[in-house]
Amino acid sequence: MYNNEESYIDKRIVRTKSKIKKTFLLLLQQKPYNKLTITEIVNQSKISRVTFYNHFDSKEELLIEIIDDVMKDLVISYRKPYENLNLFTVNDIKPSMLMLFEHVYKYSDFYSTVTNSDILIELQNRMIDELKNLALKDFSMINSNIDRVIYAEWYAYAIYGIILEWIKKGYSHSPKYMAEQLLDLVKSIPKKRVERKGMVRYS
């Protein structure tokens, strides 16, 4: 009985937080983040201030958690092509294996809203950090004079730029097309062998 009650409470918390997050993004489409108030979020969500503060200390914490949720899925989607592989090259990857653009499209409401808001810089910084860390943690350059940190920074900004322009253009191309283009871009770069630490080689 206790477990059932606990499960019910957990689901209720998830539902309430989800409602608050959706309301926040809806309001962000209507006015700048720095002018949004907790009172507006509470009223639009049809909850009490007590309920809001039971889940979030501030609207800043709310924003951070929303971005955290999306970035967790971004990392999972990015790693999909090679998570179960011991060895591969770029030529082994098919567009259907690249889930990064599928991720962005799945969260298109979030990305479009934030891109057109005054908090784009928060998303930009977090997204570039995640992409840079993935490049640094998952791969290492072999037989190359390229500085790994500089490579990771270049890579992160390049991917972010492609995604940002895609969003700004209203997702004018399909995720599959974008994946094909990204693969063609990567393959057009002079090849350097890259190794995923401990398990994968990538060229």
Side-chain angles (χ1 to χ4, degrees):
M1 186 66 177
Y2 176 77
N3 287 337
N4 288 337
E5 289 179 357
E6 191 175 63
S7 177
Y8 173 76
I9 292 172
D10 289 343
K11 289 179 180 178
R12 187 174 61 185
I13 290 172
V14 169
R15 284 196 303 268
T16 302
K17 294 183 79 170
S18 177
K19 179 193 289 188
I20 294 171
K21 291 173 184 178
K22 288 178 181 177
T23 298
F24 171 81
L25 290 175
L26 181 63
L27 289 170
L28 195 58
Q29 294 173 13
Q30 302 169 16
K31 63 191 306 184
Y33 169 80
N34 62 12
K35 292 185 178 179
L36 270 180
T37 65
I38 290 176
T39 298
E40 290 173 308
I41 297 171
V42 164
N43 290 342
Q44 188 75 18
S45 300
K46 294 181 171 56
I47 60 173
S48 68
R49 292 182 71 87
V50 172
T51 299
F52 179 91
Y53 285 114
N54 280 340
H55 301 295
F56 304 102
D57 291 334
S58 62
K59 72 173 185 177
E60 289 75 21
E61 185 180 47
L62 169 59
L63 172 62
I64 290 170
E65 184 165 316
I66 291 173
I67 294 177
D68 281 348
D69 292 342
V70 177
M71 291 301 101
K72 285 176 185 175
D73 191 79
L74 179 144
V75 171
I76 291 171
S77 299
Y78 180 94
R79 283 177 164 155
K80 280 289 183 184
Y82 59 82
E83 63 180 351
N84 296 317
L85 297 177
N86 289 323
L87 187 70
F88 74 96
T89 68
V90 170
N91 291 328
D92 297 322
I93 301 177
K94 299 178 176 61
S96 60
M97 297 170 67
L98 280 184
M99 302 302 295
L100 184 59
F101 294 100
E102 292 288 351
H103 154 82
V104 175
Y105 197 70
K106 181 173 76 171
Y107 288 95
S108 58
D109 286 346
F110 164 82
Y111 280 108
S112 296
T113 298
V114 175
T115 297
N116 292 307
S117 75
D118 57 339
I119 57 171
L120 175 59
I121 189 65
E122 279 79 7
L123 174 63
Q124 173 184 300
N125 291 340
R126 180 64 185 279
M127 198 168 179
I128 288 173
D129 281 346
E130 293 291 352
L131 291 169
K132 185 167 60 178
N133 287 335
L134 282 164
L136 287 170
K137 290 178 181 178
D138 288 6
F139 302 96
S140 61
M141 306 298 293
I142 297 178
N143 299 328
S144 172
N145 293 323
I146 298 174
D147 184 293
R148 289 184 63 247
V149 174
I150 293 175
Y151 169 80
E153 291 168 346
W154 166 81
Y155 178 81
Y157 276 93
I159 298 297
Y160 171 77
I162 291 171
I163 291 173
L164 181 62
E165 289 302 315
W166 184 46
I167 295 168
K168 286 182 175 180
K169 292 174 182 174
Y171 311 94
S172 54
H173 298 295
S174 68
K176 181 177 180 294
Y177 178 84
M178 295 302 296
E180 291 170 343
Q181 289 296 302
L182 179 58
L183 278 179
D184 286 343
L185 281 169
V186 173
K187 291 176 183 178
S188 71
I189 298 171
K191 291 181 173 58
K192 292 288 183 181
R193 229 172 21 136
V194 180
E195 180 180 37
R196 186 178 181 218
K197 293 179 180 177
M199 62 182 295
V200 177
R201 287 198 176 99
Y202 178 87
S203 63

